[in-house]
Amino acid sequence: MLKPSENPPVSWPAGLAIRDFAGLWWVAHTKSRNEKALAQDLAGKGISYFLPMIWKVRRVRGRTIRSLLPLFGGYLFFCGEERQRIEVLRTNRVANLIEVRDQPRLVRELSQVEQAIAAGVDLSPHKYLKEGQLCKVIGGALAGLHGIVVRTRDQTRLVLQIDMLGQATSVEIGTDMIEPVEKNT
């Protein structure tokens, strides 16, 4: 297990929004538990990437253990040209590369996750949903995000989806902070 200071950054190069990365986006389906090692390899090779991560806290024998884990286990997003794609394959940490057919859609969906992480909200993995009410956040740090609203126990959560992966994440949201939108928005 890595110390907090040894973890790779969520995105590289630091200080750039993923919308500003140059090149084509690819999704690396990594070998088991290789996401962070691949991120460190890519940063060392100068390849732009996005690896959304969340803190997981658990208790083991009376001790509290905090781990920084990939939000979408087994996946890392990277941006580049053919040369960078080949370099990623050479790391021997990738089981499969997924071609992104709808580049603008993936960037839009990942940007929502990036904004939520930057806002410091507590994200948690969520079951991917095909149906549900599409809503827009109308205020606060998450203003402008679009997602599907679900109810769990006594809270409302906004589900942010990455359609091409069949993966999603969710954040707790107040019902006064969202409004329904049409499906074609």
Side-chain angles (χ1 to χ4, degrees):
M1 182 165 36
L2 296 174
K3 295 177 184 173
S5 62
E6 296 172 341
N7 283 294
V10 169
S11 65
W12 192 90
L16 271 183
I18 61 173
R19 289 183 186 274
D20 298 329
F21 289 1
L24 294 175
W25 281 92
W26 296 84
V27 180
H29 186 197
T30 66
K31 292 181 179 178
S32 181
R33 300 173 58 100
N34 270 257
E35 303 93 331
K36 292 195 277 186
L38 178 59
Q40 289 173 328
D41 289 351
L42 296 188
K45 294 176 182 290
I47 300 173
S48 303
Y49 73 83
F50 181 54
L51 177 61
M53 294 185 282
I54 56 171
W55 285 102
K56 180 171 177 128
V57 180
R58 58 191 167 106
R59 304 237 347 130
V60 178
R61 292 186 216 117
R63 291 184 39 197
T64 301
I65 298 179
R66 288 179 36 137
S67 304
L68 191 60
L69 301 175
L71 182 59
F72 306 118
Y75 296 99
L76 178 142
F77 307 90
F78 71 95
C79 194
E81 301 303 331
E82 182 65 14
R83 183 180 62 77
Q84 286 85 9
R85 186 186 73 80
I86 291 169
E87 285 297 316
V88 169
L89 289 171
R90 286 186 179 151
T91 65
N92 201 29
R93 298 188 187 281
V94 176
N96 186 29
L97 282 184
I98 303 169
E99 181 181 351
V100 178
R101 296 195 189 282
D102 190 344
Q103 296 277 320
R105 182 177 184 171
L106 178 67
V107 171
R108 187 173 57 251
E109 292 173 348
L110 290 178
S111 292
Q112 293 198 115
V113 175
E114 180 185 43
Q115 182 180 348
I117 289 171
V121 296
D122 185 25
L123 291 173
S124 60
H126 199 282
K127 183 178 179 183
Y128 180 77
L129 303 171
K130 271 292 216 195
E131 296 181 15
Q133 180 63 54
L134 181 65
C135 287
K136 177 181 178 180
V137 180
I138 57 173
L142 303 179
L145 295 188
H146 288 76
I148 295 174
V149 173
V150 296
R151 297 267 316 154
T152 57
R153 292 183 218 115
D154 60 345
Q155 60 182 222
T156 302
R157 298 193 69 85
L158 183 69
V159 178
L160 306 175
Q161 300 184 151
I162 308 297
D163 285 328
M164 73 165 292
L165 290 184
Q167 298 273 333
T169 186
S170 68
V171 60
E172 185 175 355
I173 189 97
T175 54
D176 59 333
M177 299 297 286
I178 55 176
E179 67 180 12
V181 295
E182 297 296 329
K183 290 277 187 191
N184 59 3
T185 301

